[in-house]
Amino acid sequence: MKQASIEDKLAVNKYTIDKDVHIKIDGKICKTCDKHYCLYACPAHCFTLSNGGITFSFEGCLECGSCRIVCPNRAVDWTLPRAGFGISYQYG
Ligand code: SF4
Ligand code: SF4
């Protein structure tokens, strides 16, 4: 039996998007950062590099907390989403 890929597993998750953003990054700090650990640590690819700066979109967040842990510059303001919002796993 073929093992499910990460993409297959992510596809069975359900997201309830909140209008309140639960993770914010400080773009000014990110502009001075040359490490960009968040790009490699986020399993959902919520961080992207564009025009030398970091773009962040919280909608696909898996709530793992990795971005907060790996950022050496404390640029990530991290909380869980409000109750009833965010990711629900394994809805496939
Ligand atoms: S979130 Fe942290 S690691 Fe990522 S670019 Fe910003 S300062 Fe650098
Ligand atoms: S908490 Fe995890 S999934 Fe969400 S943005 Fe941070 S690293 Fe990505």
Coordinates of all heavy atoms in Angstrom, one line a residue:
M1 N 0.8 -1.2 0.0 CA 0.0 0.0 0.0 C 0.9 1.2 0.0 O 1.9 1.3 0.7 CB -0.9 0.0 1.3 CG -1.9 1.0 1.2 SD -3.0 0.8 2.7 CE -3.1 2.4 3.4
K2 N 0.5 2.2 -0.9 CA 1.3 3.4 -1.0 C 1.1 4.3 0.3 O 0.0 4.5 0.7 CB 0.9 4.2 -2.2 CG 1.8 5.3 -2.6 CD 1.3 6.0 -3.8 CE 2.0 7.3 -3.9 NZ 1.1 8.4 -4.3
Q3 N 2.2 4.8 0.8 CA 2.2 5.7 2.0 C 1.7 7.0 1.5 O 2.1 7.6 0.5 CB 3.5 5.8 2.6 CG 3.5 6.2 4.0 CD 4.8 6.0 4.7 OE1 5.8 5.7 4.1 NE2 4.8 6.2 6.0
A4 N 0.8 7.6 2.4 CA 0.3 9.0 2.0 C 1.4 10.0 2.1 O 2.2 10.0 3.0 CB -0.9 9.3 3.0
S5 N 1.4 10.9 1.2 CA 2.3 12.0 1.2 C 1.9 13.1 2.3 O 0.7 13.1 2.7 CB 2.4 12.7 -0.1 OG 1.2 13.3 -0.4
I6 N 2.8 14.0 2.6 CA 2.4 15.1 3.5 C 1.3 15.9 2.9 O 0.3 16.2 3.6 CB 3.6 16.0 3.7 CG1 4.8 15.3 4.4 CG2 3.2 17.3 4.4 CD1 4.6 15.0 5.8
E7 N 1.3 16.1 1.6 CA 0.2 16.8 1.0 C -1.1 16.1 1.1 O -2.2 16.7 1.4 CB 0.5 17.1 -0.5 CG 1.6 18.1 -0.8 CD 3.0 17.6 -0.4 OE1 3.2 16.4 -0.4 OE2 3.9 18.5 -0.2
D8 N -1.1 14.8 1.0 CA -2.3 14.0 1.1 C -2.9 14.2 2.6 O -4.1 14.3 2.8 CB -2.1 12.5 0.9 CG -1.8 12.2 -0.6 OD1 -2.1 13.0 -1.4 OD2 -1.1 11.2 -0.8
K9 N -1.9 14.1 3.5 CA -2.3 14.2 4.9 C -2.9 15.6 5.2 O -3.9 15.8 6.0 CB -1.2 13.9 5.9 CG -0.8 12.4 5.8 CD 0.4 12.1 6.7 CE 0.7 10.6 6.7 NZ 1.9 10.3 7.4
L10 N -2.2 16.6 4.7 CA -2.7 18.0 4.9 C -4.1 18.2 4.3 O -4.9 19.0 4.8 CB -1.7 19.0 4.3 CG -0.4 19.2 5.1 CD1 0.5 20.1 4.3 CD2 -0.6 19.6 6.5
A11 N -4.4 17.5 3.2 CA -5.6 17.7 2.5 C -6.8 17.2 3.3 O -8.0 17.6 3.0 CB -5.6 17.0 1.1
V12 N -6.6 16.4 4.3 CA -7.8 15.9 5.1 C -8.0 16.8 6.3 O -8.9 16.5 7.2 CB -7.7 14.4 5.5 CG1 -7.6 13.6 4.2 CG2 -6.5 14.2 6.4
N13 N -7.3 17.8 6.5 CA -7.5 18.8 7.6 C -8.6 19.8 7.2 O -8.8 20.1 6.0 CB -6.2 19.5 8.0 CG -5.2 18.5 8.5 OD1 -5.5 17.5 9.0 ND2 -3.9 18.9 8.3
K14 N -9.2 20.3 8.2 CA -10.3 21.3 8.0 C -9.9 22.6 8.8 O -9.4 22.5 9.9 CB -11.6 20.7 8.6 CG -12.8 21.6 8.2 CD -14.1 20.9 8.7 CE -14.3 21.3 10.2 NZ -15.6 20.7 10.7
Y15 N -10.1 23.7 8.1 CA -9.7 25.0 8.7 C -10.9 25.8 8.9 O -11.7 26.0 8.0 CB -8.7 25.7 7.8 CG -7.4 24.9 7.6 CD1 -7.3 24.1 6.5 CD2 -6.3 25.1 8.4 CE1 -6.1 23.4 6.3 CE2 -5.1 24.4 8.1 CZ -5.0 23.6 7.1 OH -3.9 22.9 6.8
T16 N -11.0 26.4 10.1 CA -12.0 27.4 10.3 C -11.3 28.7 10.5 O -10.6 28.9 11.6 CB -12.9 27.1 11.6 OG1 -13.4 25.7 11.4 CG2 -14.0 28.1 11.7
I17 N -11.3 29.6 9.5 CA -10.5 30.8 9.5 C -11.1 31.8 10.4 O -12.3 32.2 10.2 CB -10.3 31.3 8.1 CG1 -9.7 30.2 7.2 CG2 -9.3 32.5 8.1 CD1 -8.4 29.6 7.6
D18 N -10.4 32.4 11.3 CA -10.8 33.5 12.1 C -10.5 34.8 11.5 O -9.5 34.9 10.8 CB -10.1 33.4 13.5 CG -10.8 34.2 14.6 OD1 -11.8 35.0 14.3 OD2 -10.3 34.2 15.7
K19 N -11.3 35.8 11.8 CA -10.9 37.2 11.2 C -9.7 37.7 12.1 O -9.0 38.6 11.6 CB -12.1 38.1 11.2 CG -12.6 38.5 12.6 CD -13.8 39.4 12.4 CE -14.6 39.6 13.7 NZ -13.9 39.7 14.9
D20 N -9.6 37.3 13.3 CA -8.5 37.7 14.1 C -7.2 36.8 13.8 O -7.3 35.6 13.9 CB -8.8 37.5 15.6 CG -9.8 38.5 16.1 OD1 -10.0 39.5 15.4 OD2 -10.5 38.2 17.1
V21 N -6.2 37.5 13.4 CA -4.9 36.8 13.1 C -4.2 36.3 14.3 O -4.0 37.1 15.2 CB -4.0 37.7 12.3 CG1 -2.7 36.9 11.9 CG2 -4.7 38.2 11.0
H22 N -4.0 35.0 14.5 CA -3.4 34.5 15.7 C -1.9 34.5 15.8 O -1.3 34.4 16.8 CB -4.0 33.1 16.1 CG -3.5 32.0 15.1 ND1 -4.0 31.8 13.9 CD2 -2.5 31.0 15.3 CE1 -3.4 30.8 13.3 NE2 -2.5 30.3 14.1
I23 N -1.3 34.7 14.6 CA 0.2 34.8 14.6 C 0.5 36.1 13.8 O 0.0 36.3 12.7 CB 0.9 33.6 14.0 CG1 0.5 32.3 14.7 CG2 2.4 33.8 13.9 CD1 1.0 31.1 14.1
K24 N 1.4 36.9 14.4 CA 1.8 38.1 13.7 C 3.3 38.1 13.6 O 4.0 37.8 14.6 CB 1.3 39.4 14.4 CG -0.2 39.5 14.3 CD -0.7 40.7 15.1 CE -2.2 40.7 15.2 NZ -2.8 40.9 16.5
I25 N 3.9 38.6 12.5 CA 5.3 38.7 12.5 C 5.7 40.2 12.4 O 4.9 41.0 11.8 CB 6.0 37.9 11.4 CG1 5.5 38.4 10.0 CG2 5.7 36.5 11.6 CD1 6.3 37.8 8.9
D26 N 6.8 40.6 12.9 CA 7.3 42.0 12.8 C 8.1 42.1 11.6 O 9.3 41.7 11.5 CB 8.1 42.3 14.1 CG 8.5 43.7 14.2 OD1 8.7 44.4 13.1 OD2 8.6 44.3 15.3
G27 N 7.5 42.7 10.5 CA 8.1 42.8 9.2 C 9.4 43.6 9.3 O 10.3 43.3 8.5
K28 N 9.5 44.6 10.2 CA 10.7 45.4 10.3 C 11.9 44.5 10.7 O 13.0 44.7 10.2 CB 10.5 46.5 11.3 CG 9.7 47.7 10.7 CD 9.7 48.9 11.7 CE 8.7 49.9 11.3 NZ 8.1 50.6 12.4
I29 N 11.6 43.7 11.7 CA 12.7 42.8 12.2 C 13.1 41.8 11.1 O 14.2 41.5 10.8 CB 12.2 42.0 13.4 CG1 12.0 43.0 14.6 CG2 13.3 41.0 13.8 CD1 11.5 42.4 15.9
C30 N 12.1 41.2 10.4 CA 12.3 40.2 9.3 C 13.2 40.8 8.2 O 14.0 40.1 7.6 CB 11.0 39.7 8.8 SG 10.1 38.7 10.0
K31 N 13.0 42.1 7.9 CA 13.8 42.7 6.9 C 15.3 42.8 7.2 O 16.1 42.8 6.3 CB 13.3 44.2 6.6 CG 12.3 44.2 5.6 CD 12.1 45.7 5.1 CE 11.0 45.9 4.1 NZ 10.9 45.1 3.0
T32 N 15.6 42.7 8.5 CA 17.0 42.8 8.9 C 17.6 41.4 9.1 O 18.7 41.2 9.5 CB 17.2 43.6 10.2 OG1 16.5 42.9 11.3 CG2 16.6 45.0 10.1
C33 N 16.7 40.4 9.0 CA 17.1 39.0 9.3 C 17.8 38.3 8.1 O 17.3 38.4 7.0 CB 15.9 38.2 9.7 SG 16.2 36.4 10.0
D34 N 18.9 37.7 8.3 CA 19.5 36.9 7.2 C 19.5 35.4 7.4 O 20.1 34.7 6.7 CB 21.0 37.4 7.0 CG 21.8 37.1 8.2 OD1 21.3 36.7 9.3 OD2 23.1 37.4 8.2
K35 N 18.7 35.0 8.4 CA 18.6 33.5 8.7 C 17.4 32.9 8.0 O 17.5 31.8 7.5 CB 18.6 33.3 10.2 CG 19.7 34.0 11.0 CD 21.0 33.3 10.7 CE 22.1 33.8 11.6 NZ 23.4 33.8 11.0
H36 N 16.3 33.5 8.2 CA 15.0 33.0 7.6 C 14.7 31.6 8.0 O 14.3 30.8 7.2 CB 15.1 33.1 6.1 CG 15.3 34.5 5.6 ND1 15.9 34.8 4.4 CD2 14.8 35.7 6.1 CE1 16.0 36.1 4.2 NE2 15.3 36.7 5.2
Y37 N 15.0 31.3 9.3 CA 14.7 29.9 9.7 C 13.2 29.5 9.5 O 12.9 28.4 9.3 CB 15.1 29.7 11.2 CG 16.6 29.9 11.4 CD1 17.0 30.5 12.6 CD2 17.5 29.3 10.6 CE1 18.4 30.6 12.9 CE2 18.9 29.4 10.8 CZ 19.3 30.1 12.0 OH 20.6 30.2 12.2
C38 N 12.4 30.5 9.6 CA 10.9 30.3 9.5 C 10.6 29.6 8.2 O 9.6 28.8 8.1 CB 10.2 31.5 9.7 SG 10.7 32.9 8.6
L39 N 11.3 30.0 7.1 CA 11.0 29.4 5.8 C 11.1 27.9 5.8 O 10.4 27.2 5.1 CB 11.9 30.0 4.8 CG 11.8 31.5 4.4 CD1 12.9 31.9 3.4 CD2 10.4 31.8 3.9
Y40 N 12.1 27.4 6.6 CA 12.4 26.0 6.6 C 11.7 25.2 7.6 O 11.4 24.0 7.5 CB 13.9 25.8 6.7 CG 14.8 26.6 5.8 CD1 15.4 27.8 6.2 CD2 14.8 26.3 4.4 CE1 16.1 28.6 5.3 CE2 15.5 27.1 3.5 CZ 16.2 28.3 4.0 OH 16.8 29.1 3.1
A41 N 11.3 25.9 8.7 CA 10.7 25.3 9.8 C 9.2 25.1 9.7 O 8.6 24.2 10.3 CB 11.0 26.1 11.1
C42 N 8.6 25.9 9.0 CA 7.1 25.9 8.9 C 6.6 24.7 8.0 O 6.9 24.8 6.8 CB 6.5 27.2 8.4 SG 4.7 27.1 8.3
P43 N 6.0 23.7 8.6 CA 5.6 22.6 7.7 C 4.4 22.9 6.8 O 4.2 22.2 5.8 CB 5.1 21.6 8.7 CG 4.7 22.3 9.9 CD 5.6 23.6 10.0
A44 N 3.8 24.0 7.0 CA 2.6 24.4 6.2 C 3.0 25.5 5.1 O 2.2 26.0 4.4 CB 1.5 24.9 7.0
H45 N 4.3 25.9 5.1 CA 4.8 26.9 4.2 C 4.0 28.2 4.3 O 3.6 28.8 3.3 CB 4.8 26.3 2.7 CG 5.5 25.1 2.6 ND1 6.9 25.0 2.8 CD2 5.1 23.8 2.2 CE1 7.3 23.7 2.6 NE2 6.2 23.0 2.3
C46 N 3.8 28.6 5.5 CA 3.0 29.9 5.7 C 3.9 31.1 5.5 O 3.4 32.2 5.3 CB 2.5 29.9 7.1 SG 1.2 28.7 7.5
F47 N 5.2 30.9 5.5 CA 6.2 32.0 5.3 C 6.8 31.8 3.9 O 7.2 30.7 3.4 CB 7.4 31.9 6.3 CG 7.0 32.0 7.7 CD1 6.4 31.0 8.4 CD2 7.2 33.3 8.3 CE1 6.0 31.2 9.8 CE2 6.8 33.5 9.7 CZ 6.2 32.4 10.4
T48 N 6.8 33.0 3.2 CA 7.5 33.0 1.9 C 8.4 34.2 1.8 O 8.1 35.2 2.5 CB 6.5 33.0 0.7 OG1 5.5 34.1 0.9 CG2 5.7 31.7 0.6
L49 N 9.4 34.1 1.0 CA 10.3 35.2 0.8 C 9.9 35.9 -0.5 O 9.8 35.3 -1.6 CB 11.8 34.6 0.6 CG 12.9 35.6 0.7 CD1 13.0 36.3 2.0 CD2 14.2 34.8 0.5
S50 N 9.7 37.2 -0.4 CA 9.4 38.0 -1.6 C 10.0 39.4 -1.5 O 9.8 40.0 -0.5 CB 7.9 38.0 -1.8 OG 7.3 38.7 -0.8
N51 N 10.7 39.8 -2.6 CA 11.3 41.1 -2.6 C 12.2 41.3 -1.4 O 12.2 42.4 -0.8 CB 10.3 42.2 -2.7 CG 9.5 42.1 -4.0 OD1 10.0 41.7 -5.0 ND2 8.2 42.4 -3.9
G52 N 12.9 40.3 -0.9 CA 13.8 40.5 0.2 C 13.1 40.5 1.5 O 13.8 40.5 2.6
G53 N 11.8 40.5 1.6 CA 11.1 40.5 2.8 C 10.3 39.2 3.0 O 10.2 38.4 2.1
I54 N 9.8 39.0 4.2 CA 9.0 37.8 4.5 C 7.5 38.1 4.4 O 7.0 39.1 4.9 CB 9.3 37.3 5.9 CG1 10.7 36.7 6.0 CG2 8.3 36.2 6.3 CD1 10.9 35.4 5.2
T55 N 6.8 37.3 3.7 CA 5.3 37.4 3.6 C 4.8 36.2 4.4 O 5.3 35.1 4.3 CB 4.8 37.2 2.2 OG1 5.4 38.3 1.4 CG2 3.3 37.4 2.1
F56 N 3.8 36.5 5.3 CA 3.2 35.4 6.1 C 1.7 35.4 5.9 O 1.0 36.4 5.8 CB 3.5 35.8 7.6 CG 2.9 34.8 8.6 CD1 3.3 33.5 8.7 CD2 1.8 35.2 9.3 CE1 2.7 32.6 9.5 CE2 1.2 34.4 10.2 CZ 1.6 33.1 10.3
S57 N 1.2 34.2 5.8 CA -0.2 34.0 5.7 C -0.6 32.9 6.7 O 0.0 31.8 6.7 CB -0.7 33.6 4.3 OG -0.2 32.4 3.9
F58 N -1.5 33.2 7.6 CA -1.8 32.3 8.7 C -2.8 31.2 8.4 O -3.0 30.3 9.2 CB -2.3 33.2 9.9 CG -3.7 33.7 9.8 CD1 -4.7 33.1 10.4 CD2 -3.9 34.8 9.0 CE1 -6.0 33.6 10.2 CE2 -5.2 35.3 8.8 CZ -6.3 34.7 9.4
E59 N -3.5 31.3 7.3 CA -4.7 30.5 7.0 C -4.4 29.0 7.1 O -5.2 28.2 7.4 CB -5.3 30.9 5.7 CG -6.0 32.2 5.7 CD -5.1 33.4 5.5 OE1 -3.9 33.2 5.4 OE2 -5.6 34.5 5.3
G60 N -3.2 28.6 6.6 CA -2.9 27.2 6.6 C -2.1 26.7 7.8 O -1.6 25.6 7.8
C61 N -2.1 27.5 8.8 CA -1.2 27.2 10.0 C -1.7 25.9 10.7 O -2.9 25.7 10.9 CB -1.3 28.3 11.0 SG -0.5 28.1 12.5
L62 N -0.7 25.1 11.1 CA -0.9 23.8 11.7 C -0.8 23.9 13.3 O -1.0 22.9 14.0 CB 0.1 22.7 11.2 CG 0.0 22.5 9.7 CD1 1.2 21.5 9.4 CD2 -1.3 21.9 9.3
E63 N -0.5 25.1 13.7 CA -0.5 25.4 15.2 C 0.6 24.6 15.9 O 0.5 24.2 17.0 CB -1.8 25.2 15.8 CG -2.9 26.1 15.2 CD -4.3 25.7 15.6 OE1 -4.5 25.0 16.6 OE2 -5.3 26.0 14.9
C64 N 1.7 24.4 15.2 CA 2.8 23.6 15.8 C 3.7 24.4 16.7 O 4.4 23.8 17.5 CB 3.6 22.9 14.7 SG 4.6 24.1 13.6
G65 N 3.8 25.7 16.4 CA 4.7 26.5 17.3 C 6.1 26.6 16.8 O 6.9 27.3 17.4
S66 N 6.5 26.0 15.7 CA 7.9 25.9 15.3 C 8.4 27.3 15.0 O 9.5 27.6 15.3 CB 8.0 25.0 14.1 OG 7.6 23.7 14.3
C67 N 7.6 28.1 14.3 CA 8.1 29.5 13.9 C 8.5 30.3 15.1 O 9.5 31.0 15.1 CB 7.0 30.2 13.1 SG 5.4 30.3 13.8
R68 N 7.7 30.2 16.2 CA 8.1 30.9 17.4 C 9.4 30.4 18.0 O 10.2 31.2 18.5 CB 7.0 30.8 18.4 CG 7.3 31.5 19.8 CD 6.2 31.4 20.8 NE 5.8 30.0 21.1 CZ 5.0 29.7 22.1 NH1 4.5 30.6 22.8 NH2 4.8 28.4 22.3
I69 N 9.6 29.1 18.0 CA 10.8 28.6 18.6 C 12.0 28.8 17.7 O 13.1 29.2 18.3 CB 10.6 27.0 18.7 CG1 9.5 26.8 19.8 CG2 11.9 26.3 19.1 CD1 9.0 25.4 19.8
V70 N 11.9 28.8 16.4 CA 13.2 28.9 15.6 C 13.6 30.3 15.4 O 14.8 30.6 15.1 CB 13.1 28.2 14.3 CG1 12.8 26.7 14.4 CG2 12.0 28.8 13.4
C71 N 12.7 31.3 15.5 CA 13.0 32.7 15.2 C 14.0 33.2 16.2 O 13.7 33.3 17.4 CB 11.8 33.6 15.2 SG 12.2 35.3 14.9
P72 N 15.2 33.6 15.8 CA 16.2 34.0 16.8 C 16.0 35.5 17.2 O 16.7 36.0 18.1 CB 17.5 33.9 16.0 CG 17.2 34.0 14.5 CD 15.8 33.5 14.4
N73 N 15.1 36.2 16.5 CA 14.9 37.6 16.7 C 13.6 38.0 17.4 O 13.3 39.2 17.5 CB 15.0 38.3 15.4 CG 16.3 38.0 14.7 OD1 17.4 38.0 15.3 ND2 16.3 37.7 13.4
R74 N 12.9 37.0 17.9 CA 11.6 37.3 18.6 C 10.7 38.1 17.7 O 10.0 39.0 18.2 CB 11.9 38.0 19.9 CG 12.7 37.1 20.9 CD 12.9 37.8 22.2 NE 13.7 37.0 23.1 CZ 13.2 36.4 24.2 NH1 11.9 36.5 24.4 NH2 13.9 35.6 24.9
A75 N 10.7 37.8 16.5 CA 9.8 38.5 15.5 C 8.4 37.9 15.4 O 7.6 38.5 14.7 CB 10.5 38.6 14.2
V76 N 8.2 36.8 16.1 CA 6.9 36.1 15.9 C 6.1 36.3 17.2 O 6.5 35.8 18.2 CB 7.2 34.6 15.6 CG1 5.8 33.9 15.4 CG2 8.0 34.4 14.4
D77 N 5.0 36.9 17.0 CA 4.0 37.1 18.1 C 3.0 36.0 17.9 O 2.1 36.0 17.0 CB 3.4 38.5 18.0 CG 2.3 38.7 19.0 OD1 2.2 37.9 20.0 OD2 1.6 39.8 18.9
W78 N 3.0 35.0 18.8 CA 2.3 33.7 18.6 C 1.3 33.4 19.6 O 1.6 33.5 20.8 CB 3.4 32.6 18.6 CG 3.0 31.3 18.0 CD1 3.2 30.8 16.8 CD2 2.3 30.2 18.7 NE1 2.7 29.6 16.6 CE2 2.1 29.2 17.8 CE3 1.7 30.1 20.0 CZ2 1.4 28.0 18.1 CZ3 1.1 28.9 20.3 CH2 0.9 27.9 19.4
T79 N 0.1 33.1 19.2 CA -0.9 32.5 20.1 C -1.6 31.5 19.3 O -1.6 31.4 18.1 CB -1.9 33.6 20.5 OG1 -2.6 34.1 19.4 CG2 -1.3 34.7 21.4
L80 N -2.4 30.7 20.0 CA -3.3 29.7 19.4 C -4.5 30.5 18.9 O -4.8 31.6 19.5 CB -3.8 28.6 20.4 CG -2.7 27.6 20.7 CD1 -3.2 26.7 21.9 CD2 -2.4 26.7 19.5
P81 N -5.3 30.0 17.9 CA -6.5 30.7 17.5 C -7.5 30.6 18.7 O -7.4 29.8 19.6 CB -7.0 29.9 16.4 CG -5.9 29.0 15.9 CD -5.0 28.9 17.1
R82 N -8.5 31.5 18.6 CA -9.6 31.4 19.6 C -10.3 30.0 19.5 O -10.3 29.4 18.5 CB -10.7 32.5 19.3 CG -10.2 33.9 19.5 CD -11.3 34.9 19.4 NE -11.8 34.9 18.0 CZ -13.0 35.3 17.7 NH1 -13.9 35.7 18.6 NH2 -13.5 35.4 16.4
A83 N -11.0 29.7 20.6 CA -11.7 28.4 20.6 C -12.7 28.4 19.4 O -13.4 29.4 19.1 CB -12.5 28.3 21.9
G84 N -12.8 27.3 18.7 CA -13.7 27.1 17.6 C -13.1 27.5 16.3 O -13.7 27.3 15.2
F85 N -11.8 28.0 16.3 CA -11.2 28.4 15.1 C -9.9 27.7 14.9 O -9.4 27.0 15.9 CB -10.9 29.9 15.1 CG -12.2 30.7 15.0 CD1 -12.7 31.2 16.2 CD2 -12.8 31.0 13.8 CE1 -13.9 32.0 16.1 CE2 -14.0 31.7 13.7 CZ -14.5 32.2 14.9
G86 N -9.3 27.7 13.7 CA -8.0 27.1 13.4 C -8.2 25.7 12.8 O -9.3 25.5 12.1
I87 N -7.3 24.9 13.0 CA -7.2 23.6 12.3 C -8.0 22.5 13.1 O -7.9 22.4 14.3 CB -5.8 23.2 12.0 CG1 -5.8 22.0 11.1 CG2 -5.0 22.9 13.3 CD1 -4.4 21.7 10.5
S88 N -8.6 21.6 12.3 CA -9.2 20.4 12.9 C -8.5 19.3 12.0 O -8.6 19.3 10.8 CB -10.7 20.3 12.8 OG -11.3 21.4 13.4
Y89 N -8.0 18.3 12.7 CA -7.2 17.3 12.0 C -8.1 16.1 11.6 O -9.0 15.7 12.2 CB -6.1 16.8 12.9 CG -4.9 17.7 13.0 CD1 -4.8 18.6 14.0 CD2 -3.9 17.8 12.0 CE1 -3.7 19.5 14.1 CE2 -2.9 18.7 12.0 CZ -2.8 19.5 13.1 OH -1.7 20.4 13.2
Q90 N -7.6 15.5 10.5 CA -8.1 14.2 10.0 C -9.6 14.2 9.7 O -10.4 13.4 10.3 CB -7.7 13.1 11.0 CG -6.2 12.9 11.1 CD -5.8 11.7 11.9 OE1 -6.6 11.1 12.7 NE2 -4.5 11.4 11.8
Y91 N -10.0 15.0 8.8 CA -11.4 15.0 8.4 C -11.6 14.3 7.1 O -12.5 14.5 6.3 CB -11.9 16.5 8.3 CG -12.6 16.9 9.6 CD1 -11.8 17.2 10.7 CD2 -14.0 16.9 9.7 CE1 -12.4 17.6 11.9 CE2 -14.6 17.3 10.9 CZ -13.8 17.6 11.9 OH -14.4 17.9 13.1
G92 N -10.6 13.5 6.7 CA -10.7 12.8 5.4 C -11.5 11.5 5.5 O -11.8 11.0 6.6
Ligands
SF4_1 S1 10.3 35.3 11.5 FE1 12.3 35.3 12.5 S2 13.5 33.8 11.4 FE2 11.8 34.4 10.1 S3 12.6 36.1 8.8 FE3 11.5 37.0 10.6 S4 13.2 37.3 12.0 FE4 14.0 35.9 10.6
SF4_2 S1 2.8 27.5 14.1 FE1 3.7 26.0 12.7 S2 2.4 25.8 11.0 FE2 1.8 27.7 12.1 S3 2.9 29.3 11.0 FE3 4.2 28.6 12.8 S4 5.5 27.0 12.0 FE4 3.9 27.3 10.4

